Amino acid sequence: MKKLLRSLAVAALVSGTAFAQLPAGSTAPDFTITDIDGNEHNLYSILDEGKPVLLDLFATWCGPCWSFAETGVFEEFDALYGAAGDNSAFTIAVEADASTPASELSGGGSSVGDWTSMIDYPMADDASGSIADAYALAYYPTIYLICPDRTVTEIGQGPEGAYW
């Protein structure tokens, strides 16, 4: 009986954490990724410059991801604070579904549209799924704000499925 209870407790713990996002205030896992324009970005290097990072984890087939991208919120943010603005923050969109080929970023297949025409700030494909794994991705889109002190907070979802 004790073995059964212990096994159930472990199963409940594993199943309860398997789909959990990173807790607010936890340390952001470092990553390096090359965007679709061939530019390499290292999270900790950007943070060490004193810039917060907006990390948009999306999937090309995700309707809510597309709807969020259509709002243009990140383009506006990037125009003010990104490389085109005062360069005080960094915004990056990462296609985080490892099973989706990078070619779908420009439409086709199961993609809901041409992401390359929708997103003007840096965009990359996490073909290995390592970022999704490190950030405990449980659903799309997931949007994190990572502060220069390397703390992370999910900021993308608001009440009743609203974003930002």
Side-chain angles (χ1 to χ4, degrees), residues 16 18 21 29 44 88 95 111 113 115 122-123 130 144 149 152 160 164:
Q21 300 293 92
Y44 281 9
S88 62
E95 205 294 332
S111 183
W115 294 87
M123 180 172 38
S130 61
Y144 286 114
D149 67 359
V152 63
E160 300 172 17
W164 192 268

Side-chain angles (χ1 to χ4, degrees), residues 14-117:
V14 170
S15 67
T17 58
F19 298 106
Q21 300 293 92
L22 286 180
S26 61
T27 300
D30 193 18
F31 63 85
T32 299
I33 194 163
T34 302
D35 67 27
I36 62 173
D37 295 322
N39 301 308
E40 188 175 273
H41 306 283
N42 174 262
L43 176 65
Y44 281 9
S45 294
I46 296 165
L47 297 173
D48 288 347
E49 294 174 11
K51 296 179 185 179
V53 172
L54 284 175
L55 175 62
D56 175 13
L57 300 173
F58 74 99
T60 60
W61 46 260
C62 169
C65 301
W66 183 260
S67 295
F68 180 77
E70 284 182 315
T71 69
V73 171
F74 277 3
E75 278 77 13
E76 291 173 21
F77 180 88
D78 196 60
L80 291 171
Y81 305 108
D86 69 7
N87 203 27
S88 62
F90 184 77
T91 308
I92 187 165
V94 176
E95 205 294 332
D97 180 3
S99 69
T100 303
S103 61
E104 290 193 12
L105 287 170
S106 51
S110 63
S111 183
V112 295
D114 181 355
W115 294 87
T116 61
S117 68

